[in-house]
Amino acid sequence: QLPDEHYILKVTAKNATGDPFEDAVRVSLERRPGARALATGVVKQSKPAIDGDLVLWHELAPTPALMLSDGGTPRRITPAQALPMMFADVSGRRIVWEDQRQGSQIYVLDLDSGAERALTTGAAGAHDPAIHGTRVAWDDGNNVFVLDLAAAGAPRQLTTHAAAQFNADIAGTWVVWMDERHGGGLAQ
């Protein structure tokens, strides 16, 4: 085991065209007293997200659901209908997720009021939402969109290229996504 301190991690990989590249990333290793597992047992979990003391994850079986913990006992976040909720994120007291009630759509839940609403509608699927503060980003498989929950209006389409743009993430006013126009990579 490595002692608790800062390390430089060297990453070597290949891009979409097979060309090698390297990068260095600073990481901190620190074991904290009282660390514990939030979910245990044979149930499969995936896609954890964290903001402050809120931890959110997707439980895959026996019934797919989103689970939330604020440091206490985890609780199930369930939609009105028992269809899969996946690819979730949390910021402040809001959770966003991809919901399968009416195709792939994006929903938001305010944890304080319990109010839930659809952010997207229509035939085109909406995927992989990310939230930061009041701003939510997602993709429809080809383009990236952003919506400010605090402002009136429709979602803003950020990309229009014919190649796929997907896996959006947001922090403040910055939105990043994967972009296939040059064979893959990160765009912002």
Side-chain angles (χ1 to χ4, degrees):
Q1 289 184 348
L2 296 172
D4 294 353
E5 56 185 88
H6 299 287
Y7 294 89
I8 301 295
L9 179 65
K10 180 180 173 184
V11 178
T12 304
K14 291 184 180 181
N15 65 17
T17 60
D19 299 322
F21 68 93
E22 293 183 350
D23 200 357
V25 181
R26 182 177 181 208
V27 296
S28 296
L29 294 181
E30 179 181 351
R31 280 176 285 290
R32 297 184 182 233
R36 64 183 176 85
L38 292 174
T40 60
V42 296
V43 175
K44 292 183 180 180
Q45 300 96 19
S46 70
K47 299 283 188 182
I50 187 169
D51 187 45
D53 62 349
L54 291 177
V55 179
L56 179 71
W57 67 93
H58 183 214
E59 206 163 81
L60 302 173
T63 303
L66 293 178
M67 301 297 291
L68 179 70
S69 175
D70 60 2
T73 303
R75 65 184 169 113
R76 183 178 297 267
I77 305 295
T78 56
Q81 300 169 356
L83 292 171
M85 301 166 72
M86 53 191 163
F87 305 111
D89 198 12
V90 59
S91 180
R93 301 290 298 164
R94 291 185 184 98
I95 295 171
V96 294
W97 70 90
E98 179 181 330
D99 193 290
Q100 302 297 310
R101 281 178 245 190
Q102 299 170 359
S104 293
Q105 301 299 329
I106 306 301
Y107 280 73
V108 62
L109 172 68
D110 183 303
L111 293 170
D112 292 328
S113 70
E116 174 188 306
R117 72 177 174 130
L119 300 181
T120 60
T121 58
H127 311 284
D128 300 324
I131 186 170
H132 186 261
T134 61
R135 292 184 177 96
V136 181
W138 68 88
D139 70 81
D140 69 359
N142 291 313
N143 291 295
V144 173
F145 298 83
V146 68
L147 176 69
D148 189 338
L149 300 172
R156 181 174 160 215
Q157 184 173 337
L158 300 181
T159 61
T160 58
H161 196 275
Q165 289 96 38
F166 53 94
N167 281 352
D169 199 3
I170 188 165
T173 59
W174 286 90
V175 179
V176 294
W177 62 88
M178 297 297 295
D179 193 310
E180 293 291 329
R181 76 182 78 193
H182 300 293
L186 185 65
Q188 63 182 21

